[in-house]
C-alpha cells in the first residue's frame, strides 16, 4: 500500500450487494421469541433474475448462513435451482464437519482461525477435507483441482500450501469510502427494471452479497466485512500465493543456509564468554528472519512466521551450547545462569 505496488482492479469486474437492511423475523426453534435473519423472500426475488439469465454473472458469493426455518425457504430454493456458479457459507459443527443448511444449496466453509490482532493467513482446506469458499470459487472459475494426499497439498499436480497470506487487492476504503467499486443495497437495486439490472450491474461480474454493516472482522488492514475478505482470498489464489515454486524453494535453501551459519553455527560467537545480553541474540535472529520473510513476500508473495522460528532458534542454540560444552545434568543450573548472562 505504501509503495502503491498493487494496481486497482477494474471496477466493472465486481459488484457488492449489501444485505444489511434486508431483514426478517423467524421464531426461535428452542426458545420463545424471534430471531433476525436475512429476508429470504428478497433473496429469492433477486436469484429469480439470475435464474432467468444464467450466463449473466461470472460467480455469486452469497454470504448468508441459511440456518433457521423461514416461510420463504421453498421460494428461495426454487429460485436458486439452475443458477450456476453460486455458493453459500456454512460453519463447522461440534464434530468439525459442515453444518447442514435448511435449504439445499451449493455451500463451502467460511470459517477461519485468527489471532487477537486480526488474522493474516487463511486456510484453504479445513480438517484437510472441507473446502472453503475462496477455494471452491477458485476451482469453479479456473477449472482447477485442489487436493490433499500423501501428506501434501496439490493444485492441479503442483505442490501447494494449505494457507495463504491474504493480499488485500481490494481494500475496505476502495469499496465503501472511495466508491472505486459499485456498492448497492439489494432493496434499491430491485427497484430498477430487470433488463437494466442485468446489463449494468450483473453482466460478466463477480457478485459479492453480504451484510457489510454488521458482519465485520479485524484484519491487518483494519476492520473489514467477511464477504470482502473471502473475495480477497480468492484474488490471492488467482495470483498463485499458495503455490510452491522451485524459485522459492531455492531461495529458502540459500536464505536459511546463511541464517544457520550466522546464528546457529557461529561457533566463535557461541563459545565466547564475553558478557552480552541474551536478548541481543534473539533480536539478531528475529531481524534476520524478518528480512528473509519480507524478501520472500515481495519476491514470491509467501510470508514466513518469524515469532515461532525465533523461539525455535533460541531453544536450538541452548541445546547446541550445552552439547558443545558437554555440560552434565547436575550443572544445568550453572548453565542456565551462564546463558541468562549471555
Amino acid at each position: 500500500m505504501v509503495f502503491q505496488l498493487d494496481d486497482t482492479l477494474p471496477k466493472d469486474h465486481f459488484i457488492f450487494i449489501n444485505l444489511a437492511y434486508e431483514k426478517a423475523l423467524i421464531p426461535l426453534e428452542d426458545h420463545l421469541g424471534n430471531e433476525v435473519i436475512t429476508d429470504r423472500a428478497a433473496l429469492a426475488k433477486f436469484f429469480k433474475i439470475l435464474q432467468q439469465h444464467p450466463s449473466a454473472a461470472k460467480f455469486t458469493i452469497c454470504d448468508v448462513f441459511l440456518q433457521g426455518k423461514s416461510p420463504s425457504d421453498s421460494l428461495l430454493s426454487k429460485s436458486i435451482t439452475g443458477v450456476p456458479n453460486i455458493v453459500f457459507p456454512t460453519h463447522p459443527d461440534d464434530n468439525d464437519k459442515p453444518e447442514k443448511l435448511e435449504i439445499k444449496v451449493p455451500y463451502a466453509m467460511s470459517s477461519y482461525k485468527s489471532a487477537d490482532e486480526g488474522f493474516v493467513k487463511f486456510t484453504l482446506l479445513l480438517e484437510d477435507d472441507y473446502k472453503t469458499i475462496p477455494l471452491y470459487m477458485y476451482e469453479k472459475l479456473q477449472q482447477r483441482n485442489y487436493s490433499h494426499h500423501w501428506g501434501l497439498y496439490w493444485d492441479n499436480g503442483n505442490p501447494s500450501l494449505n494457507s495463504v497470506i491474504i493480499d488485500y487487492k481490494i481494500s475496505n476504503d476502495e469499496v465503501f469510502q472511495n466508491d472505486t467499486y459499485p456498492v448497492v443495497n439489494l432493496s434499491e437495486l430491485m427497484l430498477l427494471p430487470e433488463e437494466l439490472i442485468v446489463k449494468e450491474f450483473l453482466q460478466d461480474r463477480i457478485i459479492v452479497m453480504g451484510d457489510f454493516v454488521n458482519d465485520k472482522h479485524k484484519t491487518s488492514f483494519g476492520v473489514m466485512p467477511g464477504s470482502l475478505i473471502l473475495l480477497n482470498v480468492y484474488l490471492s489464489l488467482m495470483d498463485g500465493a499458495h503455490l510452491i515454486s522451485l524459485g522459492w524453494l531455492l531461495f529458502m535453501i540459500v536464505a536459511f543456509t546463511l541464517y544457520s551459519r550466522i546464528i546457529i553455527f557461529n561457533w566463535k560467537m557461541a563459545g565466547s564468554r564475553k558478557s552480552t545480553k541474551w536478548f541481543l541474540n534473539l533480536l539478531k535472529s528475529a531481524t534476520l528472519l524478518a528480512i528473509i520473510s519480507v524478501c520472500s513476500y515481495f519476491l514470491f508473495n509467501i510470508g514466513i512466521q518469524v515469532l515461532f522460528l525465533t523461539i525455535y532458534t533460541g531453544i536450538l542454540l541452548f541445546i547446541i551450547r550445552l552439547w558443545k560444552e558437554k555440560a552434565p545434568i547436575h550443572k544445568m543450573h550453572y548453565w542456565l545462569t551462564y546463558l541468562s548472562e549471555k
Side-chain angles (χ1 to χ4, degrees):
M1 290 180 64
V2 171
F3 297 103
Q4 297 182 347
L5 296 177
D6 291 332
D7 296 328
T8 300
L9 299 173
K11 66 177 184 178
D12 59 351
H13 285 190
F14 313 96
I15 181 170
F16 296 87
I17 301 179
N18 187 18
L19 304 177
Y21 310 112
E22 315 299 328
K23 302 299 181 183
L25 288 177
I26 62 171
L28 287 170
E29 293 185 1
D30 301 326
H31 306 279
L32 295 176
N34 299 313
E35 64 176 323
V36 179
I37 64 169
T38 302
D39 188 350
R40 295 175 187 176
L43 291 178
K45 185 178 179 182
F46 173 77
F47 289 135
K48 189 69 176 179
I49 297 177
L50 288 179
Q51 188 181 58
Q52 295 173 352
H53 302 84
S55 61
K58 288 184 178 180
F59 199 94
T60 302
I61 302 174
C62 186
D63 192 12
V64 176
F65 188 40
L66 297 175
Q67 280 286 18
K69 295 182 180 179
S70 163
S72 302
D73 285 354
S74 177
L75 181 64
L76 178 58
S77 178
K78 291 179 181 179
S79 67
I80 294 174
T81 302
V83 176
N85 291 341
I86 187 173
V87 67
F88 287 78
T90 187
H91 305 290
D93 60 14
D94 294 336
N95 298 317
D96 291 327
K97 294 183 178 180
E99 285 195 43
K100 293 183 178 180
L101 305 179
E102 295 294 343
I103 303 174
K104 189 176 181 180
V105 295
Y107 64 85
M109 305 289 269
S110 66
S111 299
Y112 61 86
K113 298 177 181 179
S114 66
D116 290 338
E117 68 274 11
F119 72 97
V120 176
K121 284 190 174 183
F122 190 95
T123 303
L124 302 178
L125 277 179
L126 295 179
E127 303 299 323
D128 293 334
D129 289 314
Y130 307 115
K131 296 175 183 178
T132 52
I133 286 179
L135 180 59
Y136 178 92
M137 182 178 176
Y138 174 71
E139 287 188 326
K140 287 287 185 179
L141 288 181
Q142 305 304 318
Q143 302 299 310
R144 310 289 290 189
N145 179 33
Y146 189 90
S147 59
H148 172 250
H149 50 269
W150 302 325
L152 300 173
Y153 301 91
W154 306 87
D155 181 356
N156 271 23
N158 299 313
S160 170
L161 302 171
N162 190 36
S163 61
V164 294
I165 290 183
I166 308 174
D167 187 5
Y168 289 96
K169 289 185 171 296
I170 301 180
S171 69
N172 194 72
D173 290 344
E174 287 179 314
V175 177
F176 302 108
Q177 294 185 20
N178 300 337
D179 297 327
T180 305
Y181 300 96
V183 183
V184 61
N185 294 324
L186 179 60
S187 55
E188 296 174 351
L189 179 66
M190 298 308 296
L191 294 175
L192 301 175
E194 180 176 322
E195 183 178 350
L196 182 63
I197 293 175
V198 174
K199 184 177 179 180
E200 298 296 331
F201 292 91
L202 307 182
Q203 192 67 46
D204 297 327
R205 296 178 189 254
I206 292 176
I207 304 171
V208 181
M209 307 178 71
D211 186 338
F212 304 146
V213 176
N214 303 299
D215 178 27
K216 292 187 176 182
H217 307 268
K218 189 186 297 183
T219 75
S220 55
F221 280 62
V223 177
M224 189 174 295
S227 310
L228 183 55
I229 295 172
L230 296 175
L231 177 62
N232 276 302
V233 176
Y234 165 74
L235 295 176
S236 298
L237 292 177
M238 287 288 294
D239 281 347
H242 62 302
L243 297 176
I244 300 176
S245 65
L246 178 60
W248 182 74
L249 288 176
L250 293 175
F251 167 80
M252 293 302 295
I253 291 173
V254 172
F256 278 107
T257 299
L258 294 174
Y259 171 81
S260 299
R261 179 65 183 87
I262 295 171
I263 298 296
I264 300 177
F265 296 104
N266 192 340
W267 297 110
K268 183 177 180 181
M269 180 194 72
S272 173
R273 293 181 177 271
K274 184 171 61 175
S275 179
T276 58
K277 297 295 185 180
W278 64 269
F279 60 83
L280 291 180
N281 286 333
L282 288 179
L283 180 61
K284 185 177 181 180
S285 175
T287 302
L288 290 173
L289 286 171
I291 293 173
I292 294 173
S293 181
V294 169
C295 291
S296 174
Y297 178 76
F298 275 100
L299 294 175
F300 304 99
N301 205 30
I302 298 177
I304 304 166
Q305 291 186 355
V306 173
L307 176 60
F308 295 109
L309 284 173
T310 303
I311 296 174
Y312 166 76
T313 303
I315 296 173
L316 188 60
L317 279 172
F318 173 75
I319 295 173
I320 288 175
R321 291 183 181 187
L322 288 180
W323 170 80
K324 181 177 182 294
E325 299 294 338
K326 297 183 172 58
I329 299 299
H330 66 273
K331 290 186 179 181
M332 184 65 71
H333 176 72
Y334 166 78
W335 286 108
L336 288 174
T337 304
Y338 165 72
L339 289 176
S340 66
E341 294 176 354
K342 297 283 288 180

